Amino acid sequence: MLKVVVESAKGIPKKTLGIPDPIAGVIFKGEKKKTKAIDKELNPVWNEIIEFDLKGTPLDSSSFIDVVVKDYETIGKDKFIGSAKISLKELAAGQTRSLPSKNIPLINEKKQEIGATISLTIGYEPPASTVPNPNDQNMGDGQTGETAGDVVEPGAPGVSPSGQPKKMVRTTRKRQRTLANKPQDFQIRIRIIEGRQLPGNNIKPVVKVSVCGQTHRTRIRRGNNPFFDEIFFYNVNMLPSELFDESIMIRVYNAYSLRADSLMGEFKVICGVSLTGHAIMRKWLLLSDPDDSASGARGYLKVSMFIVGTGDEPPVEKREANEEQDDIESNLLLPAGVALRWATLSLKIYRAEDMPQMDDAFAQTVKNIFGGTDEKKNLVDPFLEVSFAGKKVCTKIVEKNANPEWNQLIHLDRLSRNDVIGTTNLNLTKIASSGGEIEVDTTESGVGFLPAFGPCYINLYGSPREFTGLPDPYEDLNYGKGEGVAYRGRVLIELSTQLDEKTDKKVEDIPNDDILVAQKYQRRRKYSLCAVFHSACMLQEPGEPIQFEVSIGNYGNKLDSTCKPLASTTQFSCAVFDGNQYYYLPWADSKPVVILTSFWEDISHRMDAVNIILYISDRLQSNIVSLKTALLAKVSDSRLAEIWLKLITQLIDDLSSYQLPNLEGKPNLTALDIQIKNLRDKTLASVKEAAIRMREEAVDVRATMPDIEDWLERLQQITEEPQNSMPDVIIWMLRGEKRVAYARIPANQVLYSTHSEQAIGKYCGRMQSIFMQYPMDKNKGLKIPVQLRVNMWMGLSAHEKNFNSFAEGTFSVYAEMYENQAQVFGKWGTTGLVGRHKFSDVTGKIKLKQERFMPPRSWEWEGDWLIDPERCLLTEADAGHSEFTDEVYQNETRFPGGEWKPAAEPFTDVNGEKAQKPQEIECPPGWIWEDDWNFDINRAVDEKGWEYGVTIPPDDKPRSWVAAEKMYHIHRRKRLVRPRRKISDTPTTEKKDIGDGWEYSSLIGWKFHRKERSSDTFRRRRWRRKMAPAERVGASAIFNLEGALGIDEDEKGSKKDTTKLFGANTPTVFCRFDKSFIYHLRVYVYQAKNLLPMDKDSFSDPYAHVSFLHVSKTTEIVKSSLNPTWDQTLIFDDIEIYGDPQSIAHNPPSVVLEVYDNDQVGKDEPMGRCTCPPVVKLNPATQLTPKLLWYPITMKGRNAGEMLVAAELLLKDKANDVNLPLVPPRRSENLYMVPQGIRPVVQLTAVEILTWGLRNMKAYQLAAVSSPSLIVECGGQTVQTAIIKNIKKNPNFPGSLLFLKVLLPKDEIYTPPIVLKVIDHRPFGRKPVVGQCTINSLEEFRCNPYISTTEVAMSAKVAMMASAPRDVVIDMGDRMPSPSKQEEDTVDWWSKFYASINEHEKCGPYLQKGYDTLTVFNTELEAVPEFRGLTDFCTTFKLQRGKIEDEEEDPSVVGEFKGSFRVYPLSDDPNVSDPPRQFRELPESCPQECLVRIHIIRCLDLQPKDNNGMCDPYIKIALGKKIIDDRDHYKPNTLNPEFGR
């Protein structure tokens, strides 16, 4: 019985005339009952009871009632006011007997709320006879459902292990009572969605589903987490009780494996389980091994399965919003007979440290008002939340403490800690192992182990630590989405697993003994980190001065005042234009150095092991690359075998000679360390065995590639170190005060080790190039903020002495301060310094005095205070350029609507700083003017070159500029430019006379210049005093610089922001290089292929910026091509690089090529970048020519084509330039070609093109393609076909043969692709490209022209016969006796058909007569080898459309081209006649009359369309324009019609 008490409604809206008379109706399963109407009331109270008799059937969880409120009308229909739908799921589940539903909003027909609400109470009396609902019995055992009498009792698979009921499906009521006794039609639908964590490396999973003897399989996917999303339908007609005993078998196979389709895992479910009102919707199935059910999980598969009977509504699938983090365990089905063991994961959480301040700074100021001290910065109330398998547990909250101690024990099942401070995930696969990955003898103890971890710190990363009341734009990073860009503290935890014991308490305190044990894991050692910045280049936009900050943990972070101040930031310096495209920082011979000391646990045994394995796998990887290149370049077999042997031998040697560190007696040893060491040793041993075996047995190099790549993957898998408690080193680039870009470097890469040479980090004491990235970059690294070259060394302070052997150059340490003066009435002095001190730091804000500087401990002064002006200002902006453009902005202002007058500062630079008048700017010596001053019109300006803007206070200059003048504009400016050119090399090396070291500025701003100008009002100069270490010698002394220089005492009293104090007077450290070397660089840019189309016409106009350290040049632009051939040598003369040439030779800076698409309109778009290491020759006479190689171009982390480049870097002798290679040939004055010997060897080649026709061309810009022609491009040559007059009448080209003579490289590795473009000839001379196709490999079309061409001719002849049936005689053979009359009844075509498919009882006496039978194929004809995929003498090429808006999509196919190619070499001798043409005998290409016979015999397993589970099929055939619609001969009520037509 279902009782609904309709209580009252509120807020019914008024009518246009008068007040409504509300009446309420309740509808349940189509039965409708009403209350009485209440006259003229907006808040009616009914209080009526409405009852529904359920006739003994229980509610199911999809039941609901509809409540409708109407306005009662005496005459005519009641007017609808609003309705509400209330789900009865909670009642059906049996948790409660009554469901009060108060203030439910009513909604109108458009599903909008109308503002009214209704209140009711629903009571439910379940019928006595019902089976207890599956939710009441949470049976954990895995028995399957029994068919007991007429009611099927749902067994445990109806309930997923976490206790959530499966979503119910509404089925017809009849079947819920008893099962029908006659066969019925059912359809089983199974949707395979995705797999996760399938076992194995490099697998290709495929899923096979078998139901009732029918089997379907999915497409083959790759990887351990494949996504299938395919639906299978199975139609059956049988007794429901029989169906309930049928099972659904889902098996996952590995299609890649050599053993015939090796089974990876399976899942079996009885239909009855999923049928009794249950559908399985988007559940994870646990796959198990059929032969060994105790082996546990073999991966997971997500599926939906349901059975619909006739007339049933199929249930709807809901996609949860957070499918990605879809928690498998909380939504899992177990197979029958797989016993799950209880595993309790105990997580001991001891303490955390370095939690960032989370409460707002506002609270801080309030505390200061009430007399709190400034030191308490720890406004954070941390607690830790851990979630696993849908369970969440929290620790207690420790208030106002940045280093909380929780000391609590949590029992649960898998962890990821999630709060706004930071998120980290412990991946269960990293801290546990099933042992199945390694095939070892079973006699040894297995290598599997249960999850274990720690005690060890876990680091949290998140958004940068700047706390304001505003929402944090990088908030997502704290939730673990995207790569965290800053360190946000760490947590000390320990995890262990016990099997077969249950604990009731979720959270308890850790006993004291355990806390003491964990103490020893917290022992700290002192680490020193030194980073020398060698260059910062490829800055995209100039602007405020730039500095870099290096931090590890909180050490070195400028914003953090809890650690000692360190020299962790470089000096500010201004960027200089490189004359072509980028900016760089002019550090010249004094490279900035940053030094950090920090304290961490000593985990060197973990880092050493990781570094050794990385060393082995890096060597293997580089060898694999060279082997693949050799395969591409088709080198001789002997050479290939040599490269392959070197790879195998080196791998075996590496694995034999480099042992992982022994763990005996190491500090901080945990259980997981021992397990991982065991796993690694076994893996290394098994790879080594496999390699030795392969060296002895292998015969084909290509066949071994997958195995070798598999070894690499296995080695890379064991390089992951879960217990890495040392935070990453983070480098930030600050522009002014703003954090712009960051780079994260794992500490193990720069860590020094005493264990062995290989255990030293890959970049420890070695130069590395880093592309920094913007935090949460939407464009995924489309633009590089800056490219850094840094040399970092990090080691225990105990090993500091070893730093000396790595250090290049000499380190010098200075204290510095600035003397400031202002000009008042023509005199320089200190009187006009508003808000500045006489002596200050570089920002001018902090007051300093000479006497008050104290050197840090164990350092002392060397010499006195000296005037030492900034180096940056000595390199002029035009340094290193042969052409340069001077720019000045002319500014004017007015009152709104008034006349334009020169501004207060009539001439400024781009940042609005005061500049000289154009007339005053002189041409420097050694340069000449190319032109007069002109205004720049290639910008958003009007015809006079002005751009207009409005100033919004507090700014003093507009933020943005527009080109059109409006009345309200009060500012305008124009950019004046004047180009100049270098004529003679004036020696710039001698430093300009320092004078008295003053730098001048018009305002107290950033831009200082050296020459005094009339407009200057402020000047400053830098004083420095050198310091020297007192006791120790060698570079490592710099690590003793901890702490600031002594601070002036009375300053301490006044409350100062600590960061300001600490940033100011840390000593500055430089690394001086007394000697620079001059290098000469040549970059050979030959071509690129498969670039992304950027323009709408599906092409791009590519050019490349080539950048090397602080110089860059640009190639020419190649118009509309995705496979441009630049064939250009870029020569960079006289590049000055500091440092030892040997180290440059070992580790040269890369040449970076950024490809751009040149646009007539708007800004050039980036198309990706590639890097290429140059070949370094320290002695230019060595005979070593660089080889052109393909380097991948990446854009937004995806592949965007390839580029064929090479580069060589030559050390120049100061004395003579004779040894330089010859200047390559020129194409024009400044364009050099790629010289012989480097460029590919070309051969005159013939390309014959058979262009047959176009098919299925899609419309372009809403108009159908009507008269297309085809352009074929190859190697810079193009040829075009005749135009198809009318594609509707004849889609073939009028003349079908084209011939191209091109110079193609002999090496297949260099050959350019063939590009096909289809253009449509439209009215008004428009010829848009409507489709294109790129054919990358010409290999399959190469042929020898002198071999007889019968095969081609034959296939053409066959095609001729097929296409032109004139008179055809078919020889019927004489075996067919004329059948006598009475036999005609028994022998007909059907007999022949049944005889062919072996249904003998239906074919009568056909076989005894010995007639022919038909061949029946079980697959499509395309799959039968004899039919060659139904190809003819043409190949079909898919055509695609141009620029893809959203890169995710596959480019759409817009048509097909039918044709073929033949490629063969021609003789270079003009007298030799060309070989015979390949395509000769061709069928006619005009339309032919054809007779097409189609026999449609029968259909199998069609989809039911009607409510009775059947359908009424008929045939409809379309071929070209002819359509046959055979609707009259439909077959009623069948899913397997026999048409026989």
PDB file of all heavy atoms in Angstrom, residues 72-86:
ATOM      1  N   TYR A  72      -8.587  24.862 -10.877  1.00  0.00           N
ATOM      2  CA  TYR A  72      -9.858  24.174 -11.142  1.00  0.00           C
ATOM      3  C   TYR A  72     -10.792  25.086 -11.912  1.00  0.00           C
ATOM      4  O   TYR A  72     -10.985  26.250 -11.561  1.00  0.00           O
ATOM      5  CB  TYR A  72     -10.475  23.732  -9.811  1.00  0.00           C
ATOM      6  CG  TYR A  72     -11.806  23.060  -9.968  1.00  0.00           C
ATOM      7  CD1 TYR A  72     -11.865  21.766 -10.483  1.00  0.00           C
ATOM      8  CD2 TYR A  72     -12.981  23.699  -9.628  1.00  0.00           C
ATOM      9  CE1 TYR A  72     -13.082  21.133 -10.643  1.00  0.00           C
ATOM     10  CE2 TYR A  72     -14.200  23.068  -9.783  1.00  0.00           C
ATOM     11  CZ  TYR A  72     -14.248  21.782 -10.299  1.00  0.00           C
ATOM     12  OH  TYR A  72     -15.445  21.148 -10.460  1.00  0.00           O
ATOM     13  N   GLU A  73     -11.372  24.586 -12.999  1.00  0.00           N
ATOM     14  CA  GLU A  73     -12.354  25.338 -13.776  1.00  0.00           C
ATOM     15  C   GLU A  73     -13.656  24.527 -13.795  1.00  0.00           C
ATOM     16  O   GLU A  73     -13.637  23.322 -14.038  1.00  0.00           O
ATOM     17  CB  GLU A  73     -11.865  25.507 -15.231  1.00  0.00           C
ATOM     18  CG  GLU A  73     -10.508  26.163 -15.361  1.00  0.00           C
ATOM     19  CD  GLU A  73     -10.570  27.666 -15.180  1.00  0.00           C
ATOM     20  OE1 GLU A  73     -11.679  28.209 -15.135  1.00  0.00           O
ATOM     21  OE2 GLU A  73      -9.501  28.291 -15.060  1.00  0.00           O
ATOM     22  N   THR A  74     -14.774  25.222 -13.541  1.00  0.00           N
ATOM     23  CA  THR A  74     -16.045  24.483 -13.556  1.00  0.00           C
ATOM     24  C   THR A  74     -16.378  24.039 -14.969  1.00  0.00           C
ATOM     25  O   THR A  74     -16.857  22.943 -15.186  1.00  0.00           O
ATOM     26  CB  THR A  74     -17.182  25.360 -12.989  1.00  0.00           C
ATOM     27  OG1 THR A  74     -16.953  26.690 -13.398  1.00  0.00           O
ATOM     28  CG2 THR A  74     -17.220  25.270 -11.489  1.00  0.00           C
ATOM     29  N   ILE A  75     -16.110  24.924 -15.940  1.00  0.00           N
ATOM     30  CA  ILE A  75     -16.389  24.538 -17.322  1.00  0.00           C
ATOM     31  C   ILE A  75     -15.048  24.388 -18.024  1.00  0.00           C
ATOM     32  O   ILE A  75     -14.162  25.228 -17.868  1.00  0.00           O
ATOM     33  CB  ILE A  75     -17.209  25.629 -18.035  1.00  0.00           C
ATOM     34  CG1 ILE A  75     -18.422  25.964 -17.166  1.00  0.00           C
ATOM     35  CG2 ILE A  75     -17.589  25.203 -19.427  1.00  0.00           C
ATOM     36  CD1 ILE A  75     -19.106  27.218 -17.593  1.00  0.00           C
ATOM     37  N   GLY A  76     -14.894  23.326 -18.808  1.00  0.00           N
ATOM     38  CA  GLY A  76     -13.665  23.172 -19.589  1.00  0.00           C
ATOM     39  C   GLY A  76     -12.551  22.504 -18.780  1.00  0.00           C
ATOM     40  O   GLY A  76     -12.766  21.964 -17.698  1.00  0.00           O
ATOM     41  N   LYS A  77     -11.353  22.564 -19.331  1.00  0.00           N
ATOM     42  CA  LYS A  77     -10.239  21.806 -18.772  1.00  0.00           C
ATOM     43  C   LYS A  77      -9.549  22.595 -17.671  1.00  0.00           C
ATOM     44  O   LYS A  77      -9.411  23.820 -17.766  1.00  0.00           O
ATOM     45  CB  LYS A  77      -9.221  21.543 -19.899  1.00  0.00           C
ATOM     46  CG  LYS A  77      -8.571  20.215 -19.816  1.00  0.00           C
ATOM     47  CD  LYS A  77      -7.831  19.922 -21.104  1.00  0.00           C
ATOM     48  CE  LYS A  77      -6.559  19.182 -20.775  1.00  0.00           C
ATOM     49  NZ  LYS A  77      -5.454  19.495 -21.599  1.00  0.00           N
ATOM     50  N   ASP A  78      -9.057  21.911 -16.627  1.00  0.00           N
ATOM     51  CA  ASP A  78      -8.333  22.616 -15.576  1.00  0.00           C
ATOM     52  C   ASP A  78      -7.029  23.157 -16.163  1.00  0.00           C
ATOM     53  O   ASP A  78      -6.361  22.490 -16.958  1.00  0.00           O
ATOM     54  CB  ASP A  78      -8.007  21.645 -14.437  1.00  0.00           C
ATOM     55  CG  ASP A  78      -9.274  21.167 -13.762  1.00  0.00           C
ATOM     56  OD1 ASP A  78     -10.337  21.728 -14.090  1.00  0.00           O
ATOM     57  OD2 ASP A  78      -9.198  20.239 -12.945  1.00  0.00           O
ATOM     58  N   LYS A  79      -6.605  24.351 -15.698  1.00  0.00           N
ATOM     59  CA  LYS A  79      -5.380  24.940 -16.246  1.00  0.00           C
ATOM     60  C   LYS A  79      -4.161  24.480 -15.439  1.00  0.00           C
ATOM     61  O   LYS A  79      -4.184  24.524 -14.220  1.00  0.00           O
ATOM     62  CB  LYS A  79      -5.458  26.474 -16.206  1.00  0.00           C
ATOM     63  CG  LYS A  79      -6.439  27.030 -17.207  1.00  0.00           C
ATOM     64  CD  LYS A  79      -5.909  28.352 -17.776  1.00  0.00           C
ATOM     65  CE  LYS A  79      -6.857  28.923 -18.813  1.00  0.00           C
ATOM     66  NZ  LYS A  79      -8.218  29.156 -18.283  1.00  0.00           N
ATOM     67  N   PHE A  80      -3.158  24.056 -16.119  1.00  0.00           N
ATOM     68  CA  PHE A  80      -1.930  23.544 -15.464  1.00  0.00           C
ATOM     69  C   PHE A  80      -1.182  24.680 -14.757  1.00  0.00           C
ATOM     70  O   PHE A  80      -0.979  25.754 -15.323  1.00  0.00           O
ATOM     71  CB  PHE A  80      -1.029  22.932 -16.550  1.00  0.00           C
ATOM     72  CG  PHE A  80       0.284  22.420 -16.047  1.00  0.00           C
ATOM     73  CD1 PHE A  80       0.366  21.151 -15.475  1.00  0.00           C
ATOM     74  CD2 PHE A  80       1.444  23.185 -16.144  1.00  0.00           C
ATOM     75  CE1 PHE A  80       1.573  20.670 -15.017  1.00  0.00           C
ATOM     76  CE2 PHE A  80       2.653  22.722 -15.690  1.00  0.00           C
ATOM     77  CZ  PHE A  80       2.723  21.455 -15.124  1.00  0.00           C
ATOM     78  N   ILE A  81      -0.803  24.448 -13.490  1.00  0.00           N
ATOM     79  CA  ILE A  81      -0.001  25.480 -12.787  1.00  0.00           C
ATOM     80  C   ILE A  81       1.446  25.019 -12.645  1.00  0.00           C
ATOM     81  O   ILE A  81       2.367  25.709 -13.035  1.00  0.00           O
ATOM     82  CB  ILE A  81      -0.600  25.773 -11.389  1.00  0.00           C
ATOM     83  CG1 ILE A  81      -2.003  26.365 -11.531  1.00  0.00           C
ATOM     84  CG2 ILE A  81       0.325  26.716 -10.613  1.00  0.00           C
ATOM     85  CD1 ILE A  81      -2.695  26.631 -10.215  1.00  0.00           C
ATOM     86  N   GLY A  82       1.619  23.817 -12.087  1.00  0.00           N
ATOM     87  CA  GLY A  82       3.004  23.332 -11.930  1.00  0.00           C
ATOM     88  C   GLY A  82       2.997  21.873 -11.509  1.00  0.00           C
ATOM     89  O   GLY A  82       1.971  21.350 -11.097  1.00  0.00           O
ATOM     90  N   SER A  83       4.160  21.199 -11.635  1.00  0.00           N
ATOM     91  CA  SER A  83       4.208  19.787 -11.252  1.00  0.00           C
ATOM     92  C   SER A  83       5.526  19.485 -10.572  1.00  0.00           C
ATOM     93  O   SER A  83       6.472  20.273 -10.661  1.00  0.00           O
ATOM     94  CB  SER A  83       4.052  18.892 -12.484  1.00  0.00           C
ATOM     95  OG  SER A  83       5.194  19.021 -13.292  1.00  0.00           O
ATOM     96  N   ALA A  84       5.586  18.340  -9.900  1.00  0.00           N
ATOM     97  CA  ALA A  84       6.837  17.915  -9.272  1.00  0.00           C
ATOM     98  C   ALA A  84       6.921  16.397  -9.382  1.00  0.00           C
ATOM     99  O   ALA A  84       5.911  15.714  -9.388  1.00  0.00           O
ATOM    100  CB  ALA A  84       6.874  18.330  -7.804  1.00  0.00           C
ATOM    101  N   LYS A  85       8.150  15.894  -9.488  1.00  0.00           N
ATOM    102  CA  LYS A  85       8.341  14.442  -9.605  1.00  0.00           C
ATOM    103  C   LYS A  85       9.135  14.008  -8.374  1.00  0.00           C
ATOM    104  O   LYS A  85      10.169  14.600  -8.069  1.00  0.00           O
ATOM    105  CB  LYS A  85       9.135  14.153 -10.874  1.00  0.00           C
ATOM    106  CG  LYS A  85       9.381  12.699 -11.126  1.00  0.00           C
ATOM    107  CD  LYS A  85      10.027  12.515 -12.496  1.00  0.00           C
ATOM    108  CE  LYS A  85      10.446  11.097 -12.716  1.00  0.00           C
ATOM    109  NZ  LYS A  85      11.000  10.865 -14.046  1.00  0.00           N
ATOM    110  N   ILE A  86       8.653  13.012  -7.648  1.00  0.00           N
ATOM    111  CA  ILE A  86       9.321  12.594  -6.410  1.00  0.00           C
ATOM    112  C   ILE A  86       9.715  11.122  -6.549  1.00  0.00           C
ATOM    113  O   ILE A  86       8.872  10.267  -6.802  1.00  0.00           O
ATOM    114  CB  ILE A  86       8.379  12.789  -5.199  1.00  0.00           C
ATOM    115  CG1 ILE A  86       7.994  14.272  -5.098  1.00  0.00           C
ATOM    116  CG2 ILE A  86       9.053  12.306  -3.920  1.00  0.00           C
ATOM    117  CD1 ILE A  86       6.848  14.536  -4.194  1.00  0.00           C
TER     118      ILE A  86
END
